[in-house]
Amino acid sequence: MPALRYGRVVELLGIHHVAIIASDYVRSKRFYAETLGLAVIAEQYRADRRSYKLDLAIPGGSRIELFSFPKPPDRASWPEAAGLRHLAFVVRDVAATLDELASKGVRTEELRVDEVTGKRMAFFFDPDDLPLELYEV
């Protein structure tokens, strides 16, 4: 199915990064770098903001920027809340990945089938309950 275009378009080449603010930087760094296995590109402490910034590589070229800030306000994080809904990762086998995440103590939901594409998918959650999705290729 060809992409639909509406009038004049801005040329977007892809997604460079998704920024996430963690309530507990050390816990979230461990989750994204160790549990999910994302490679650390760079880490810096920004003293003027009392904030860490961690750049993590997502296979395929995109990144996650993980930030810490003193006392960040809570944000609604359920997939149906207004705003950014979730971040989805492509995997070869959703069921196997769910099992692997669950064995590491990650909270997961049941396997689903996308009613539009027929592809298998499921949600799991980071340490701040940010909904993340596994989407099968």
Side-chain angles (χ1 to χ4, degrees), residues 45-66:
Y45 182 72
R46 303 173 311 168
D48 58 321
R49 295 182 178 191
R50 297 181 308 166
S51 169
Y52 279 96
K53 178 181 182 273
L54 179 69
D55 294 302
L56 298 152
I58 300 173
S62 296
R63 299 177 177 197
I64 289 178
E65 291 182 345
L66 182 66

Side-chain angles (χ1 to χ4, degrees), residues 89-103:
F89 295 99
V90 177
V91 297
R92 292 186 198 287
D93 185 335
V94 171
T97 307
L98 277 177
D99 288 346
E100 185 175 345
L101 289 170
S103 75

Side-chain angles (χ1 to χ4, degrees), residues 20 22 24-40 54 56-57 64 66 87 89 97-98 100-108 123-134:
I20 298 171
D24 181 329
Y25 178 75
V26 172
R27 180 180 66 174
S28 290
K29 176 183 175 181
R30 188 174 30 234
F31 175 81
Y32 285 97
E34 295 175 21
T35 303
L36 296 186
L38 300 180
V40 173
L54 179 69
L56 298 152
I64 289 178
L66 182 66
L87 169 61
F89 295 99
T97 307
L98 277 177
E100 185 175 345
L101 289 170
S103 75
K104 294 178 178 189
V106 175
R107 185 166 73 87
T108 64
F123 284 97
F124 67 105
F125 300 87
D126 86 345
D128 286 309
D129 257 355
L130 177 68
L132 303 169
E133 181 182 336
L134 301 171

